[in-house]
Amino acid sequence: MCCAGRMMLGTFSILLVLAHTAAAAGCEFGPFPYRATGIVCRMTKPAALLLNQETAQVIQAAFRNAKFPNITGERSMRLLGRVAYGLSNIQVNDLSIERSEVELREDNAFTIAIKNVTALFRGTLTYGYAGAWFLQLFHSVDFEIESSIDLQLNINLMCQKEQVAPDASDCYLTFHKLTLHLQGDKQPGWLKQLFTDFISFTLKLVLKREVCKEINGVAQTLTNFILDLAANFVQDKDIIVDISLAADPVIKGSYIESHHKGLVVYKNISSVLSDSVFSPSLLTEDRMLYFWLSEHSLSSLAAAAFLDGRLVLNLRGEKLQELFEMEDSEVQRKAVQMIFQGTSYNDSVAKVWSLTQPQISPQPEGTVVRSLAAVEVSILPAGGEPLVALYMEKEITVTIQATYAEKKLILQPVDSSIEIKVFKCTADPSGTDPSIQSFLQNMILVAGIPEVTSSIGSALTALLNSKRLDLFDIINPEIITRKGYVIVQLDFGFPSHLLLNFLEKSL
């Protein structure tokens, strides 16, 4: 859930590389901006180098999409009189890029150098002249221009309305070759030499203006695309995470970092954060991509999920049987018989839900979750009203370790405890049968809590994949918990087809 880009891990990094974060301008963050930081993205230079490979696609799209105007000019020549010319229908063909280099600069800037862009421009040359003896001649010929160009982009990223806005107007083209061919004739001649001298300077200016303007436009379009993608990723129905900037983006020689509010908005009511513990020293530079998530953001998400009625789980059939028959013992068989009164699992349902907002506290040993939860087992007789066979309220404290593998988020409880607050059972109205309570408490600890956490993990995985996280190649991810925050660090592979599909549809 981050970066001018989220938890769409790769998507936010795309924003940073395509937009190339630099000094923010136009936003006021106050003297202590880190205090309002709930989510942080850090992308190190290896990630920037990897994503820079996609820059060629952007540059090629910019050249192809550039609308070159007609080029006209005239000049007086001795003996020939006034010579006028015009180049029209200019198109780009056979574009190739030798290599692209990226540099993160300590002056909070970002440079991309595109080496040896070779392109063949085609069009129509119309020219005419009035000779000294009033001889007038007018001609139109097809032309080709062979070119070899180096392109340098110094890209700044500004803050506008608390969102990133790239400025790629600092753009330079260096021409190593610009050769004009007329009507396919590759041999030098006086006419070709004449018009090459006339138009080369003007043509260079036009190419620079149009290509650089198009690159800046593509950068703006891509940024809007990534921002929309990120906004969609951190929103699900009435639950929204505010990823607007909380501090100026930072570029160092080895990483790019952006800071976001990470406030959770539920039905237009926002959480408040003013005591963030974030410090840049909390993140390292060993992996390609880092996400820092505050305890406040995680707790606020859990609170919003509770208010939205999402912390509810219903079990029946085989799932219910697995829960109550976790062990094959006489105590278990007796307790199950008393609770279900001989009713089939298919004719029963167990409902588990949270009665209070879960309290989430990241600690070195894992994320500690505390909540007051309820369990209700109902028997569904044919044609009759449901009968509540069991109702319990219990305070649960569970420590969860999270991992991400094979495109799945896995939540594993490593320590848990429960304290039963309310107990009602039709098979034990007085609540004095110790075997039932002992069985139920053991069942909750051994099978119930793992089942609930597994279900939450599956639901979160489905939610993340619905936002297209599964399209990214996430390599060796680590989820590290510390007091007050969580760090997600990983290497990744970029799904090129996302960018290509977008460029094809948008340009």
Side-chain angles (χ1 to χ4, degrees):
M1 291 177 283
C2 174
C3 284
R6 12 17 270 318
M7 242 173 57
M8 190 170 224
L9 307 179
T11 300
F12 297 135
S13 63
I14 303 168
L15 172 60
L16 289 171
V17 162
L18 295 178
H20 310 298
T21 306
C27 299
E28 296 293 335
F29 297 113
F32 306 106
Y34 286 162
R35 291 185 179 179
T37 296
I39 297 175
V40 177
C41 261
R42 174 177 290 187
M43 185 176 61
T44 59
K45 190 168 184 178
L49 294 174
L50 172 67
L51 292 176
N52 184 57
Q53 296 173 10
E54 306 303 322
T55 304
Q57 304 292 343
V58 178
I59 300 303
Q60 288 177 342
F63 269 87
R64 287 193 301 267
N65 199 55
K67 305 300 183 184
F68 297 102
N70 294 340
I71 300 173
T72 60
E74 64 177 45
R75 185 176 178 181
S76 296
M77 298 291 294
R78 184 180 301 177
L79 300 178
L80 294 177
R82 183 176 57 85
V83 178
Y85 63 87
L87 281 76
S88 58
N89 303 320
I90 302 175
Q91 298 177 347
V92 182
N93 298 92
D94 302 328
L95 180 69
S96 66
I97 294 175
E98 183 177 287
R99 68 182 187 277
S100 177
E101 300 172 355
V102 60
E103 178 187 1
L104 306 181
R105 305 201 320 247
E106 289 292 345
D107 60 349
N108 231 31
F110 197 108
T111 297
I112 292 182
I114 312 296
K115 301 295 186 180
N116 195 17
V117 180
T118 59
L120 186 66
F121 296 89
R122 288 192 172 98
T124 302
L125 169 64
T126 301
Y127 64 95
Y129 57 91
W133 298 279
F134 304 101
L135 176 63
Q136 295 185 348
L137 297 174
F138 299 94
H139 299 277
S140 291
V141 296
D142 293 333
F143 72 85
E144 293 181 350
I145 299 174
E146 292 181 277
S147 68
S148 176
I149 307 168
D150 284 350
L151 174 65
Q152 179 173 315
L153 305 173
N154 299 314
I155 306 179
N156 292 319
L157 196 126
M158 303 174 293
C159 178
Q160 294 180 356
K161 299 180 180 180
E162 298 186 332
Q163 298 288 352
V164 288
D167 178 12
S169 59
D170 192 1
C171 171
Y172 299 92
L173 268 65
T174 302
F175 290 84
H176 300 296
K177 178 181 180 181
L178 193 67
T179 305
L180 175 67
H181 302 294
L182 299 178
Q183 293 183 322
D185 179 13
K186 306 299 183 182
Q187 300 301 318
W190 74 270
L191 184 63
K192 185 179 74 172
Q193 186 63 47
L194 172 67
F195 284 108
T196 297
D197 293 341
F198 277 8
I199 69 175
S200 60
F201 179 75
T202 304
L203 182 60
K204 289 177 181 179
L205 292 178
V206 170
L207 290 178
K208 177 185 182 303
R209 182 179 69 240
E210 297 304 321
V211 170
C212 288
K213 181 177 70 174
E214 187 62 30
I215 288 174
N216 197 33
V218 170
Q220 297 284 348
T221 302
L222 281 171
T223 299
N224 293 335
F225 167 69
I226 298 301
L227 287 173
D228 291 343
L229 201 63
N232 176 65
F233 186 82
V234 294
Q235 177 176 356
D236 188 62
K237 298 180 181 178
D238 291 328
I239 301 176
I240 303 170
V241 179
D242 181 0
I243 56 171
S244 56
L245 293 177
D248 289 341
V250 173
I251 294 183
K252 299 293 184 181
S254 54
Y255 67 83
I256 301 171
E257 189 170 275
S258 62
H259 316 91
H260 308 265
K261 293 179 179 178
L263 302 177
V264 177
V265 182
Y266 177 69
K267 293 186 176 179
N268 295 324
I269 299 176
S270 175
S271 59
V272 179
L273 174 62
S274 59
D275 58 350
S276 174
V277 299
F278 174 74
S279 168
S281 62
L282 297 176
L283 300 179
T284 64
E285 302 171 23
D286 302 323
R287 306 297 299 276
M288 294 172 65
L289 190 62
Y290 294 82
F291 293 94
W292 184 92
L293 310 172
S294 68
E295 176 179 317
H296 176 86
S297 296
L298 295 173
S299 294
S300 298
L301 277 173
F306 167 78
L307 294 173
D308 204 45
R310 302 193 186 196
L311 303 183
V312 179
L313 177 64
N314 291 298
L315 301 171
R316 62 192 311 164
E318 291 184 2
K319 283 291 184 182
L320 192 58
Q321 183 175 2
E322 292 174 4
L323 190 65
F324 277 88
E325 295 184 2
M326 60 174 183
E327 60 181 31
D328 186 14
S329 68
E330 184 62 30
V331 173
Q332 173 254 307
R333 286 190 290 271
K334 179 181 177 182
V336 168
Q337 178 64 30
M338 293 176 66
I339 293 170
F340 288 91
Q341 303 173 28
T343 303
S344 166
Y345 290 112
N346 290 326
D347 296 325
S348 307
V349 61
K351 179 182 177 183
V352 183
W353 72 99
S354 183
L355 295 170
T356 60
Q357 296 182 11
Q359 302 299 310
I360 295 181
S361 176
Q363 299 293 332
E365 60 271 17
T367 301
V368 180
V369 182
R370 297 180 178 87
S371 180
L372 179 63
V375 176
E376 182 179 88
V377 176
S378 298
I379 297 173
L380 309 173
E385 292 294 323
L387 302 175
V388 178
L390 173 68
Y391 177 81
M392 299 172 58
E393 293 180 7
K394 54 196 183 300
E395 284 188 354
I396 297 178
T397 301
V398 57
T399 301
I400 298 174
Q401 292 181 350
T403 56
Y404 187 87
E406 297 180 353
K407 302 188 182 297
K408 295 180 181 179
L409 179 64
I410 303 168
L411 303 180
Q412 181 65 43
V414 293
D415 184 34
S416 55
S417 63
I418 66 170
E419 181 181 350
I420 296 177
K421 296 294 186 179
V422 176
F423 179 83
K424 298 178 181 178
C425 181
T426 55
D428 182 20
S430 63
T432 58
D433 190 331
S435 63
I436 292 182
Q437 290 201 27
S438 175
F439 163 73
L440 290 173
Q441 186 154 341
N442 187 46
M443 178 204 71
I444 292 169
L445 287 172
V446 175
I449 291 176
E451 177 62 34
V452 171
T453 54
S454 175
S455 297
I456 294 175
S458 297
L460 289 174
T461 297
L463 177 60
L464 293 172
N465 289 344
S466 73
K467 306 298 184 178
R468 299 193 285 183
L469 178 63
D470 56 334
L471 297 181
F472 289 80
D473 185 12
I474 299 175
I475 303 168
N476 298 326
E478 296 178 81
I479 301 175
I480 301 170
T481 54
R482 295 291 183 262
K483 184 174 175 57
Y485 60 90
V486 174
I487 296 174
V488 180
Q489 57 187 38
L490 55 99
D491 299 322
F492 66 93
F494 180 72
S496 300
H497 62 279
L498 283 183
L499 179 60
L500 292 174
N501 290 342
F502 168 73
L503 291 174
E504 290 174 358
K505 293 178 181 178
S506 302
L507 300 179

